[in-house]
Amino acid sequence: MVAEISANIRQILENIAARAARAGRDASEIKLLAVTKKVDDNRILEALAAGITILGENYVQEALRKQALLEKWEKPVEWHMIGHLQTRKAALAVRFFDMIHSLDRMELAVELNKRAQATGRTIKVLIEVNSGGEATKSGVSPEQAPDLAKSAASLKNLSLQGLMTIPPPFDEPERARPYFARLRELKEEIAALRIPGVQMKELSMGMTADYLIAIDEGATIVRIGRGIFGERK
Ligand SMILES: *Cc1c(COP(=O)(O)O)cnc(C)c1O
């Protein structure tokens, strides 16, 4: 099992490198984030031992528990919040995460900023875009994203670094391509607005089933769970 996790990671890193080369991209600009929801601590430690440096969590409480257990791990680890974030969890999120991928409303931006200011830090955020317009998913519509970027830019303790999306689920990964392409275009549109303080450099997109397509379309962070740890319980 243990050897399996490191073999999976090695394979994914090779796939990323090969796909980046094919797409004429520099593989060093693509980060692999390991999604650890419902994954046992010893398996997370194996992934860290195999070279993973960014962990993605969907739930604040689960992340807090894991961070306490993983305190023994001495190398630097970045924790990213990739799930929907409730406003009342903003204070905890600011303390325990390095980046929030799920900024989807101004109310949350204001609260994150306030909490970040209180602790004297800046929190990195990505705007989550509901690229498929699905009723069940959070995220702003592509049309709303530039306005949220403009409003959030005035908040001094937030550092807006890019966009995130989860396309609708498809059996055929190729069908996710237009949603990834749309996110890349949107990143360029927002970058062209030259909003002071906004850096449109990250595109968090692509999961186990479709990360290679996402790399073709410009992903800089791929979020992979099952591909590293196997099917979730
Ligand atoms: C679960 C999850 C992933 C990883 O999905 P896999 O199919 O296991 O790779 C990526 N991003 C988000 C937001 C998730 O919730």
Side-chain angles (χ1 to χ4, degrees):
M1 290 301 257
V2 161
E4 197 179 291
I5 290 174
S6 66
N8 289 344
I9 291 169
R10 207 171 328 115
Q11 184 65 59
I12 291 166
L13 291 172
E14 276 175 29
N15 295 346
I16 290 173
R19 193 69 166 214
R22 207 188 89 169
R25 297 187 57 198
D26 179 352
S28 70
E29 67 187 34
I30 302 163
K31 296 178 278 285
L32 172 58
L33 175 157
V35 177
T36 50
K37 62 178 174 234
K38 300 194 172 111
V39 176
D40 294 341
D41 302 312
N42 60 328
R43 294 168 68 75
I44 299 174
L45 280 166
E46 289 309 326
L48 293 172
I52 289 292
T53 58
I54 312 177
L55 301 178
E57 275 289 334
N58 292 67
Y59 305 101
V60 176
Q61 239 62 15
E62 200 179 325
L64 297 197
R65 194 188 56 71
K66 284 174 186 163
Q67 285 185 7
L69 275 159
L70 295 181
E71 250 168 22
K72 319 188 251 325
W73 184 256
E74 279 160 10
K75 294 185 192 151
V77 179
E78 277 185 37
W79 291 81
H80 290 205
M81 175 62 185
I82 62 172
H84 179 71
L85 183 57
Q86 294 167 293
T87 306
R88 63 189 172 83
K89 299 265 173 75
L92 282 173
V94 162
R95 272 178 64 200
F96 291 97
F97 291 99
D98 299 289
M99 186 186 273
I100 311 240
H101 291 225
S102 46
L103 180 67
D104 61 356
R105 58 199 189 280
M106 194 53 190
E107 180 204 19
L108 178 61
V110 167
E111 191 64 18
L112 287 170
N113 182 63
K114 186 172 117 193
R115 300 301 186 161
Q117 207 165 29
T119 53
R121 57 170 302 205
T122 303
I123 180 92
K124 295 177 196 166
V125 296
L126 306 179
I127 292 178
E128 180 173 356
V129 179
N130 184 356
S131 51
E134 295 168 277
T136 53
K137 279 204 181 111
S138 39
V140 294
S141 67
E143 295 71 29
Q144 290 166 326
D147 281 342
L148 181 54
K150 282 181 218 156
S151 310
S154 65
L155 303 169
K156 295 290 171 259
N157 292 68
L158 287 193
S159 172
L160 183 50
Q161 309 225 319
L163 306 174
M164 179 270 223
T165 199
I166 311 168
F170 295 112
D171 291 335
E172 173 51 56
E174 189 59 43
R175 292 187 58 200
R177 187 184 296 278
Y179 300 89
F180 296 144
R182 180 73 187 96
L183 203 71
R184 171 171 40 76
E185 288 162 10
L186 194 55
K187 170 176 165 258
E188 284 154 17
E189 279 167 43
I190 296 173
L193 299 175
R194 301 190 177 283
I195 306 166
V198 171
Q199 306 173 61
M200 277 287 130
K201 58 180 185 183
E202 304 289 0
L203 277 180
S204 168
M205 58 189 197
M207 313 197 289
T208 298
D210 54 20
Y211 70 100
L212 296 175
I213 311 283
I215 288 171
D216 289 345
E217 300 301 333
T220 63
I221 305 176
V222 292
R223 310 178 309 266
I224 302 195
R226 292 172 299 132
I228 293 175
F229 299 108
E231 291 301 322
R232 281 180 286 276
K233 286 174 276 183

